[in-house]
């Protein structure tokens, strides 16, 4: 399948999925775990590749057209993903209001899906250095939304119902706010070229989110040093955090953004998952409360 989009007769583009791929003429970032020399073979997904256009225009005009195209593409992507974020929260608000899903489960599913969908959407943006700033607009707008409603400057029952534990607006200023701030940091600092951001978000969204869902339901055996956490929750965090991290790294490898030595990568991701799981299991709330009371 290919989508023919013509902006003007001499600038007709033949789009296909390769638009999502990282162009192989861009230099490898030094942040890859272990860069491999040979670029990946062109994938079979010839659906959105941007074919070279033949135009009699001057290099300056071509550069202006390319810049305009990138701005248009990144703006459209940011708007679409922002709409997706609103739709996701609204969908879980709908399910929660009709008691089709528990509020705690709704919150965790929003926790899991928001960040993972956001990360999956990154290849939609252009390959310009400014693309990440357009992507960051999505969590930034949600950050403002959380602050405004967390301070009760405005009311959004749907947002509060789908992402808080007890339906209190001020809850928006804790976990959910920290969550979107981490999304902004990972998109700004690591973006698509570094496995660090991909693994961090996979652990925060997939691992931590699943730990809550499994732990609440099957967490009968508590962890000796933290009676609020369970072996079931922590083991599920390790397993799903590892699997989702590897899955996301594979996704970015197939699209050409990461070239990894998979033997080393699996070992490193397993170690990161273990450390993240141990840290998540610690009684940090109690430790911080004790420090605050001293
Ligand atoms: C409920 C959330 C975090 C709770 O953290 P914790 O208390 O369990 O530690 C997540 C809050 C999500 C936020 C309201 C919406 C974020 C949307 C995201 C920036 C973009 C998603 C885009 C995608 C296409 C849906
Ligand atoms: N390792 C874990 C993590 C969570 N859980 C369960 O999930 C609930 C919420 O976990 P949490 O306090 O980490 O929740 P959030 O701070 O992530 O929202 C806990 O009270 C446990 O019932 C668990 O059993 N084991």
């Amino acid at each position: 399948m290919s989508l023919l989009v013509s902006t003007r007769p001499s600038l007709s583009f033949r789009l296909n999925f390769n638009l999502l791929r990282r162009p192989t003429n861009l230099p490898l970032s030094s942040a890859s775990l272990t860069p491999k020399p040979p670029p990946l073979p062109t994938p079979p997904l010839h659906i959105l590749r941007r074919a070279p256009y033949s135009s009699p225009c001057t290099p300056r005009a071509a550069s202006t057209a390319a810049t305009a195209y990138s701005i248009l593409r990144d703006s459209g992507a940011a708007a679409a993903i922002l709409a997706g974020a609103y739709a996701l929260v609204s969908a879980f608000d709908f399910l929660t209001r009709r008691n089709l899903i528990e509020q705690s489960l709704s919150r965790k599913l929003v926790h899991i899906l928001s960040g993972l969908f956001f990360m999956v959407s990154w290849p939609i943006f252009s390959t310009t250095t400014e693309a990440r700033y357009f992507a960051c607009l999505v969590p930034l707008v949600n950050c403002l939304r959380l602050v405004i409603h967390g301070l009760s400057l405005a009311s959004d029952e749907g947002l509060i119902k789908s992402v808080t534990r007890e339906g209190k607006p001020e809850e928006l200023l804790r976990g959910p706010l920290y969550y979107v701030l981490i999304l902004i940091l990972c998109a700004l600092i690591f973006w698509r070229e570094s496995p660090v951001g991909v693994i961090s978000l996979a652990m925060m969204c997939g691992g931590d989110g699943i730990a809550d869902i499994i732990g609440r339901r099957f967490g009968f055996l508590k962890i000796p040093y933290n009676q609020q956490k369970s072996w079931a929750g922590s083991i599920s965090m390790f397993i799903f955090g590892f699997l989702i991290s590897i899955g996301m790294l594979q996704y970015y490898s197939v699209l050409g953004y990461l070239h990894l030595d998979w033997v080393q990568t699996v070992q490193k991701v397993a170690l990161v998952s273990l450390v993240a799981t141990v840290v998540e299991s610690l009684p940090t709330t109690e430790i911080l409360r004790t420090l605050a009371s001293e």
Side-chain angles (χ1 to χ4, degrees):
M1 178 188 92
S2 75
L3 175 66
L4 192 65
V5 174
S6 95
T7 51
R8 66 187 175 88
S10 61
L11 271 182
S12 64
F13 285 80
R14 183 180 300 281
L15 300 176
N16 57 42
F17 260 148
N18 257 12
L19 198 62
L20 299 179
R21 280 182 54 75
R22 176 184 180 279
T24 51
N25 60 336
L26 289 180
L28 257 182
S29 76
S30 59
S32 299
L33 285 176
T34 311
K36 299 271 289 178
L40 289 173
T42 306
L45 293 176
H46 296 283
I47 303 172
L48 271 177
R49 180 176 58 203
R50 186 182 56 181
Y53 54 84
S54 58
S55 158
C57 62
T58 62
R60 180 181 175 80
S63 166
T64 305
T67 303
Y69 165 76
S70 297
I71 291 173
L72 195 63
R73 174 173 168 178
D74 291 337
S75 308
I81 294 159
L82 197 55
Y86 189 85
L88 181 77
V89 172
S90 302
F92 279 98
D93 170 43
F94 173 86
L95 295 172
T96 312
R97 282 181 190 279
R98 282 153 185 77
N99 296 317
L100 296 173
I101 187 174
E102 292 170 17
Q103 187 164 345
S104 62
L105 182 57
S106 160
R107 194 168 71 85
K108 275 305 156 184
L109 289 175
V110 172
H111 178 128
I112 294 170
L113 298 176
S114 296
L116 293 185
F117 283 161
F118 178 56
M119 191 165 34
V120 164
S121 73
W122 288 353
I124 298 173
F125 292 87
S126 72
T127 54
T128 61
T129 49
E130 293 75 22
R132 67 182 70 190
Y133 304 122
F134 282 89
C136 284
L137 288 175
V138 179
L140 183 61
V141 167
N142 280 277
C143 181
L144 295 175
R145 192 179 172 202
L146 292 168
V147 169
I148 289 167
H149 295 107
L151 296 174
S152 300
L153 301 176
S155 175
D156 183 340
E157 284 309 310
L159 178 66
I160 292 168
K161 204 160 181 56
S162 52
V163 302
T164 62
R165 285 187 179 86
E166 297 153 18
K168 295 174 185 168
E170 56 271 22
E171 288 181 66
L172 297 176
L173 302 176
R174 290 198 293 271
L177 183 60
Y178 307 152
Y179 179 96
V180 292
L181 290 175
I182 295 297
L183 291 181
I184 294 171
L185 282 176
C186 285
L188 275 182
I189 299 169
F190 301 111
W191 193 224
R192 303 177 292 215
E193 277 76 33
S194 164
V196 173
V198 171
I199 297 169
S200 302
L201 292 186
M203 291 309 300
M204 179 183 82
C205 303
D208 182 56
I210 295 284
D212 181 310
I213 294 174
I214 302 292
R216 283 181 191 273
R217 283 155 183 76
F218 307 107
F220 312 112
L221 280 177
K222 299 301 183 186
I223 290 176
Y225 54 82
N226 185 356
Q227 292 304 302
Q228 302 305 314
K229 302 290 173 79
S230 65
W231 286 107
S234 292
I235 290 169
S236 59
M237 174 168 180
F238 172 76
I239 294 171
F240 284 91
F242 172 79
L243 293 176
I244 293 171
S245 297
I246 294 294
M248 292 309 292
L249 290 175
Q250 176 64 8
Y251 170 71
Y252 277 98
S253 295
V254 166
L255 291 178
Y257 291 97
L258 296 175
H259 300 282
L260 302 169
D261 175 328
W262 282 103
V263 172
Q264 282 196 22
T265 299
V266 167
Q267 293 166 353
K268 289 178 180 177
V269 171
L271 179 62
V272 169
S273 301
L274 179 63
V275 171
T277 300
V278 171
V279 170
E280 193 276 341
S281 71
L282 297 175
T284 42
T285 313
E286 288 69 19
I287 293 170
L288 291 173
R289 247 189 230 126
T290 309
L291 292 174
S293 61
E294 287 172 356

